[in-house]
Amino acid sequence: MYQFYLTFRSMTRAQSAAMALLRNGIAAAFLRSPKSLSAQGCGYALQLDGTNLQAAALVLRREGLFFEHAYRVYPGLPPQEVPV
């Protein structure tokens, strides 16, 4: 199974996004970006399961909380940036 990561440049923005998702029934783990993603210049991320990316992106856009990048990560493989 894969995970999605939404990256953010600031801790505050990522935490605000996590709270907005939680208010809308979408679970997301707040964390420092994995090393494989932090090279892209983003320090914080939200980790989502493989089914919630589109719903999460919709909520965040509606709330004005824009993320930098979205990645799909399969265990043991490099991350793949995905359009949202």
Side-chain angles (χ1 to χ4, degrees):
M1 181 62 155
Y2 56 88
Q3 301 276 313
F4 284 111
Y5 289 84
L6 300 177
T7 60
F8 298 83
R9 290 196 185 267
S10 78
M11 178 189 299
T12 304
R13 175 116 349 162
Q15 289 173 328
S16 296
M19 289 186 292
L21 293 177
L22 186 59
R23 283 192 307 270
N24 285 275
I26 300 172
F30 168 79
L31 52 117
R32 292 275 305 171
S33 292
K35 287 184 181 186
S36 60
L37 303 181
S38 62
Q40 308 299 323
C42 300
Y44 299 92
L46 295 182
Q47 180 184 28
L48 307 161
D49 72 30
T51 61
N52 289 331
L53 179 64
Q54 296 301 325
L58 245 151
V59 167
L60 296 179
R61 285 189 184 118
R62 185 178 65 226
E63 300 266 340
L65 296 164
F66 300 102
F67 51 90
E68 297 294 318
H69 301 279
Y71 296 95
R72 180 184 304 129
V73 179
Y74 289 93
L77 295 175
Q80 301 171 333
E81 189 166 1
V82 293
V84 182

